[in-house]
Amino acid sequence: MINNNKYLIVIAGPTAVGKTNTAILLAKQFNCEIISADSRQFYKELKIGAAQPTVEELNQVKHYFIGFKTITEYYNVSCFEQDVLQLLPQLFKKNNIVIMCGGSGLYIDAVCNGIDDMPDYDPELRNQLSQRLENEGVESLRLELKKLDLTTYQKIDLRNKNRIMRALEMCLLTGKPYSQFLLKIPKTRPFNIIKIALNIARSELHNKINKRCDLMFEQGLVNEAKFLEPYRKQNALKTVGYKELFEYFDKKLELEQAIELIKRNTRRYARKQISWFNRNNEYKWFNPDDISDIEEYINSKISLPID
RNA sequence: GGUCUCUUGGCCGAGUGGCUAGGCACCGGUCUGCAAAACCGAUCACUCCGGUUCGAAUCCGGAAGAGACCU
């Protein structure tokens, strides 16, 4: 524990479990504000598909990092880490508690533990590498990585082309092995962190996912996606709920099939999120309905004598 | 009532005597800059009963269920 009375309360958990609602209830209780840690809710255009908090919800408690980027803007974990660290001191001036709520595990970890400094990617180089991947195949990139950075080559999953690309990209960009940048030493933060994860019975979660998906269609997800179709190549639109609808617009899928796929991919996403938060044993798990238990837990942490 | 065909895991589907089919779903996992990405792993069958055989999802007989046609 850090020797001060500033607390960042993380509310994590799988999609559709009820994080937004829980965070708002807690924020009202502790009279504090909310930082969103959801890599898709960053984009203002992805209102329905990314299940952004509604206007009513946003009016109840001040939220940060919701809809503050355009889909064509480049943004990544490191930017998020820096932006949050810059904002937090201001929020801590107003209240000793800040809530960070979201499902993007990598982004949450970056805020809590830091992420190693690395140079920005070069769009041209990245382009070149994708071309090479297409023309020469993965094996060629694998071999080059082996030459440039044996440590990474031995460590990463060589069947995962994204990882190979990333490592190679950094080697070529900097002239140094990618592994040299990976210090992985957790940074200390000038505030305390309380990690809470929410979950419910799997069948219940699946029900909620299905219902929320149906609701998105009622709210006009098809129109939202249609409007965004010209930007479908943007990374922000490689998102469950949009990519399937683009296939439907291409007439590769029936609407019903697209809906089923969105539900399935959302279930998969939820499973991966649970995996991510599970392996970090700092998380204390709660059912979102047990709000008073959550409050009690937070209070017990906050009232602990500082050493 | 009669004749014929079919019955493989949650779903689809191959297999005609001995060797894990496969795909999808579901489940578990990996994770340092595209992360709602990318990738990996595991479980689950032969409708039932009897027979032939060293050995049956596979051959034979019967039962049940489904379908097609006939009276």
Side-chain angles (χ1 to χ4, degrees):
Chain A
M1 278 284 177
I2 301 296
N3 189 15
N4 68 25
N5 56 352
K6 308 298 180 193
Y7 292 87
L8 180 69
I9 299 172
V10 175
I11 307 289
T15 189
V17 78
K19 294 187 293 296
T20 300
N21 187 250
T22 304
I24 288 173
L25 290 175
L26 291 172
K28 283 178 171 172
Q29 191 58 228
F30 292 102
N31 189 33
C32 65
E33 298 178 327
I34 297 175
I35 287 175
S36 168
D38 185 305
S39 71
R40 298 298 137 148
Q41 292 182 3
F42 295 161
Y43 300 102
K44 63 178 169 214
E45 293 88 349
L46 310 186
K47 282 203 166 43
I48 300 171
Q52 285 188 16
T54 61
V55 177
E56 298 82 70
E57 286 171 327
L58 293 174
N59 283 339
Q60 290 178 56
V61 177
K62 170 94 176 150
H63 281 68
Y64 297 87
F65 299 99
I66 298 264
F68 75 115
K69 290 279 165 194
T70 318
I71 45 172
T72 51
E73 277 178 274
Y74 177 73
Y75 200 67
N76 65 33
V77 212
S78 179
C79 305
F80 183 68
E81 180 203 10
Q82 288 161 34
D83 287 349
V84 171
L85 288 183
Q86 204 170 16
L87 174 69
L88 273 175
Q90 299 168 41
L91 301 188
F92 279 134
K93 270 182 207 160
K94 291 189 262 182
N95 192 297
N96 286 336
I97 293 174
V98 172
I99 289 174
M100 180 163 75
C101 168
S104 302
L106 183 67
Y107 284 66
I108 293 173
D109 288 354
V111 170
C112 296
N113 308 320
I115 192 160
D116 292 312
D117 277 335
M118 265 174 244
D120 260 343
Y121 83 106
D122 173 19
E124 214 171 292
L125 177 63
R126 185 170 282 186
N127 224 327
Q128 259 176 41
L129 284 174
S130 335
Q131 286 294 324
R132 277 187 55 189
L133 178 67
E134 224 171 283
N135 301 334
E136 304 167 28
V138 216
E139 193 51 29
S140 155
L141 301 183
R142 247 185 233 138
L143 286 174
E144 185 161 4
L145 179 64
K146 191 177 184 181
K147 254 185 269 166
L148 296 177
D149 185 355
L150 190 62
T151 309
T152 298
Y153 178 85
Q154 286 168 340
K155 224 181 73 187
I156 64 169
D157 179 2
L158 294 170
R159 285 164 295 199
N160 189 333
K161 46 191 184 312
N162 279 12
R163 300 262 161 83
I164 297 172
M165 295 273 279
R166 170 64 186 164
L168 198 53
E169 169 180 272
M170 279 297 119
C171 293
L172 292 172
L173 184 69
T174 64
K176 290 187 217 162
Y178 172 63
S179 49
Q180 259 186 32
F181 293 94
L182 293 179
L183 306 173
K184 294 205 177 206
I185 301 165
K187 294 186 178 136
T188 44
R189 301 304 195 196
F191 47 83
N192 301 287
I193 298 172
I194 299 171
K195 290 181 180 173
I196 288 166
L198 305 178
N199 204 0
I200 52 180
R202 191 61 58 93
S203 56
E204 215 183 311
L205 183 64
H206 287 179
N207 278 339
K208 282 186 124 178
I209 286 172
N210 293 341
K211 269 189 211 151
R212 194 178 71 179
C213 180
D214 292 334
L215 182 68
M216 284 178 180
F217 277 89
E218 281 168 37
Q219 290 170 335
L221 183 63
V222 176
N223 284 337
E224 188 171 272
K226 192 82 207 167
F227 177 75
L228 295 172
E229 198 190 359
Y231 307 97
R232 59 191 288 175
K233 286 269 188 296
Q234 294 294 329
N235 183 58
L237 289 172
K238 282 200 216 159
T239 298
V240 177
Y242 299 96
K243 54 184 185 190
E244 297 86 354
L245 282 176
F246 297 147
E247 299 260 290
Y248 161 62
F249 298 149
D250 291 341
K251 302 213 189 312
K252 285 182 189 151
L253 290 178
E254 296 295 319
L255 184 60
E256 282 307 310
Q257 290 176 305
I259 294 172
E260 281 314 303
L261 264 181
I262 290 171
K263 289 177 178 173
R264 185 199 72 182
N265 289 337
T266 306
R267 287 195 293 272
R268 284 181 175 176
Y269 173 49
R271 187 147 43 89
K272 285 184 293 175
Q273 288 175 301
I274 293 167
S275 251
W276 183 287
F277 299 120
N278 250 336
R279 71 186 187 132
N280 182 335
N281 54 21
E282 290 163 48
Y283 280 102
K284 174 88 176 163
W285 291 81
F286 289 95
N287 187 305
D289 293 333
D290 298 335
I291 190 77
S292 54
D293 289 354
I294 300 174
E295 277 171 38
E296 209 175 291
Y297 175 72
I298 294 170
N299 280 322
S300 76
K301 284 286 193 182
I302 289 176
S303 62
L304 272 182
I306 293 163
D307 43 45

